[in-house]
């Protein structure tokens, strides 16, 4: 069993926090196209939610990954997608490799304040010419004595305008593309780091997303996470937690939209009865609820395997793929039942429609998830066929 009675207290505490400190402000943050990350993260840090499964010696709780999944599921109750995503970047995208492979020195400098909520983190992997194709990044970190000198740029960086440091993936040699990259912690106030612009996005409005340039940015090599040249491997490991987290955060968000749609269609009248009374509507909502439960089962199964130390690449990839596809189908169907109101920005279903679209893109597009699965199945063209090996 993934969750036990031990999860109940932190779950209730997080639910209470979301109801009191986040949801009352979501509409305001959405209109402002940003939320106060430092203020909110400090409150979360004080409650211990930014380091549930991080090492105790650096301020974490030292719990297993089931607690991170519990947190992700509860964050889905936030009535927008941008704030949960920003929190997830801090806890499950910018810091897992640092917590797992970083030296004590670099963890004291970057991980500890991130867990405490004293600093906001972001992760720099994607570039204008290398989104899901991580191996093709061009940003480089040239060795110069005891330093790296970084040049290049990153795109679609969540928390980018507010972050104190970035977990940066850069080429540190001219070797093979899967063995020439390193993850480096770069303070955002370092000379040569330029936040070029905040992106104007379709959805996730309350999350600030930036394009960032690096012009001869000099950082000490001690800021590197783990071994030089292992950055691609570390990032791939980190991706599995990110993708599982990204799927889990969809669960309550999907259920919220189903329930809101039930309430709206029950009260909306047309042709002498409620919209909900039409079989096509209540049957579709039942199907969508079933799909959410199936996704939950897949996520919980993957979570149990991860906690047991198993490789969850296959299951996490499936969960990420399914969550994105379901989010698109579910919000589209529900929006249709809201009629003209669904096409306005004042309804929760239109926000969910915009926000959920990113799940099929960020952290690896659907097509990349399918490539990963086909490779594992031995059906990807160009591979030696090995059945299900």
């Amino acid at each position: 069993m993934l969750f036990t009675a031990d999860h109940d207290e932190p779950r209730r505490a997080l639910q209470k926090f979301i109801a009191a400190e986040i949801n009352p402000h979501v509409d305001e943050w959405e209109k402002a196209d940003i939320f106060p990350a430092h203020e909110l993260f400090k409150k979360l840090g004080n409650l211990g939610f930014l380091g549930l499964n991080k090492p105790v010696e650096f301020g974490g709780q030292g719990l297993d990954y089931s607690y991170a999944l519990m947190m992700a599921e509860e964050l889905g109750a936030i009535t927008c997608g941008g704030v949960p995503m920003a929190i997830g970047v801090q806890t499950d995208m910018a810091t897992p490799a640092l917590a797992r492979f970083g030296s004590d020195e670099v963890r004291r400098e970057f991980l500890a304040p991130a867990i405490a909520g004293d600093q906001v983190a972001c992760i720099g992997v994607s570039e204008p010419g290398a989104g899901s194709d991580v191996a093709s990044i061009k940003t480089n970190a040239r060795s110069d004595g005891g330093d790296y000198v970084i040049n290049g740029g990153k795109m679609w960086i969540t928390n980018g305008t507010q972050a104190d440091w970035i977990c940066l993936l850069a080429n540190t040699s001219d070797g093979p593309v899967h063995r020439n990259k390193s993850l480096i912690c770069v303070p955002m106030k370092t000379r040569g780091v330029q936040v070029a612009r905040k992106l104007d996005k379709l959805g996730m409005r309350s999350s600030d997303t930036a394009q960032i340039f690096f012009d001869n940015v000099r950082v000490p090599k001690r800021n590197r996470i783990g071994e030089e040249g292992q950055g691609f491997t570390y990032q791939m490991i980190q991706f599995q937690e990110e993708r599982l987290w990204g799927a889990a955060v969809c669960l309550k968000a999907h259920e919220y939209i189903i329930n809101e749609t039930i309430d709206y269609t029950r009260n909306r009248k047309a042709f002498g009865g409620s919209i909900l009374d039409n079989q096509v509507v209540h049957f579709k909502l039942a199907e969508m609820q079933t799909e959410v439960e199936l996704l939950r089962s897949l996520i919980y199964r993957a979570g149990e395997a991860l906690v047991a130390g198993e490789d969850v690449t296959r299951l996490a990839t499936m969960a990420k793929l399914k969550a994105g596809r379901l989010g698109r189908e579910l919000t589209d169907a529900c929006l249709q039942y809201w009629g003209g109101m669904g096409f306005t920005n004042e309804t929760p279903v239109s926000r969910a429609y915009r926000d959920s679209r990113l799940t099929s893109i960020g952290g690896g597009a659907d097509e990349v998830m399918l490539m990963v699965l086909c490779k594992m199945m031995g059906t990807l063209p160009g591979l030696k066929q090995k059945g299900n090996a």
Side-chain angles (χ1 to χ4, degrees):
M1 181 179 295
L2 181 63
F3 299 132
T4 68
D6 292 336
H7 294 81
D8 292 346
E9 184 176 348
R11 187 187 294 275
R12 285 192 295 267
L14 186 54
Q15 290 171 344
K16 183 178 179 181
F17 181 84
I18 290 170
E21 300 288 346
I22 299 181
N23 279 344
H25 307 291
V26 163
D27 290 345
E28 172 191 347
W29 295 341
E30 286 280 302
K31 289 178 181 177
D33 289 339
I34 197 168
F35 78 101
H38 284 91
E39 177 185 337
L40 182 62
F41 284 13
K42 184 56 183 174
K43 292 178 181 178
L44 285 166
N46 288 342
L47 293 173
F49 283 115
L50 298 184
L52 289 175
N53 61 324
K54 300 298 190 297
V56 173
E57 56 267 36
F58 300 101
Q61 303 295 311
L63 302 169
D64 64 47
Y65 192 72
S66 66
Y67 288 85
L69 279 183
M70 176 277 295
M71 179 176 174
E73 185 172 359
E74 291 305 324
L75 290 178
I78 297 174
T79 54
C80 71
V83 174
M85 179 176 67
I87 296 170
V89 166
Q90 182 93 349
T91 59
D92 286 76
M93 300 176 203
T95 54
L98 173 60
R100 186 176 287 115
F101 301 109
S103 67
D104 285 353
E105 182 180 14
V106 76
R107 288 190 289 181
R108 278 192 295 269
E109 184 173 355
F110 296 100
L111 180 62
I115 290 172
D118 293 327
Q119 292 185 3
V120 174
C122 63
I123 183 162
V125 175
S126 296
E127 300 178 3
S132 295
D133 185 7
V134 176
S136 296
I137 66 165
K138 303 301 182 187
T139 297
N140 67 86
R142 176 176 53 85
S143 177
D144 185 18
D147 296 336
Y148 287 122
V149 179
I150 302 168
N151 285 280
K154 295 294 179 179
M155 190 68 163
W156 308 295
I157 307 304
T158 300
N159 298 342
T161 71
Q162 301 187 77
D164 296 287
W165 60 273
I166 183 170
C167 178
L168 182 74
L169 186 68
N171 297 319
T172 47
S173 76
D174 296 325
V177 294
H178 297 106
R179 297 194 295 274
N180 73 335
K181 294 168 175 57
S182 300
L183 285 172
I184 307 167
C185 296
V186 181
M188 291 293 285
K189 291 183 179 180
T190 306
R191 183 177 179 179
V193 178
Q194 178 191 359
V195 177
R197 60 186 174 118
K198 186 173 80 167
L199 303 178
D200 185 12
K201 308 187 300 295
L202 169 69
M204 302 288 189
R205 304 292 303 187
S206 53
S207 165
D208 58 301
T209 307
Q211 181 176 19
I212 302 173
F213 293 134
F214 302 89
D215 182 14
N216 289 323
V217 175
R218 183 177 291 271
V219 296
K221 288 183 177 179
R222 67 172 182 272
N223 286 15
R224 187 184 66 240
I225 296 173
E227 298 179 26
E228 186 172 88
Q230 291 298 306
F232 184 87
T233 299
Y234 296 160
Q235 186 57 44
M236 291 303 104
I237 295 171
Q238 189 164 261
F239 264 148
Q240 302 320 312
E241 294 183 7
E242 173 182 341
R243 289 166 180 166
L244 195 52
W245 187 97
V249 80
C250 294
L251 294 173
K252 287 203 169 185
H254 291 346
E255 289 179 328
Y256 169 71
I257 293 305
I258 291 173
N259 291 330
E260 288 291 303
T261 301
I262 289 172
D263 289 342
Y264 183 78
T265 55
R266 176 177 282 126
N267 294 309
R268 181 185 171 208
K269 307 298 180 181
F271 304 106
S274 76
I275 298 297
L276 184 61
D277 286 344
N278 290 279
Q279 187 181 82
V280 67
V281 177
H282 56 252
F283 272 19
K284 185 65 173 181
L285 293 173
E287 288 178 1
M288 292 295 95
Q289 185 64 59
T290 301
E291 291 294 322
V292 173
E293 286 303 319
L294 289 169
L295 176 61
R296 176 177 279 112
S297 295
L298 177 58
I299 292 167
Y300 284 11
R301 178 184 169 194
E304 290 173 358
L306 183 62
V307 171
E310 299 174 20
D311 181 357
V312 298
T313 301
R314 178 173 169 269
L315 294 177
T317 302
M318 288 178 170
K320 163 73 165 59
L321 175 66
K322 181 61 178 178
R325 293 285 178 86
L326 179 57
R328 291 153 69 180
E329 179 185 2
L330 187 153
T331 57
D332 182 72
C334 289
L335 189 149
Q336 183 71 19
Y337 302 148
W338 285 67
M341 288 306 298
F343 203 65
T344 68
N345 280 333
E346 61 187 84
T347 57
V349 71
S350 62
R351 180 182 295 167
Y353 181 84
R354 298 190 312 271
D355 287 355
S356 65
R357 190 62 182 82
L358 182 63
T359 308
S360 286
I361 300 172
D366 282 1
E367 293 74 16
V368 173
M369 300 300 98
L370 290 167
M371 288 173 62
V372 171
L373 292 172
C374 289
K375 184 176 181 180
M376 298 184 79
M377 294 169 65
T379 61
L380 194 67
L383 290 179
K384 182 181 292 187
Q385 300 304 305
K386 297 181 180 179
N388 291 325

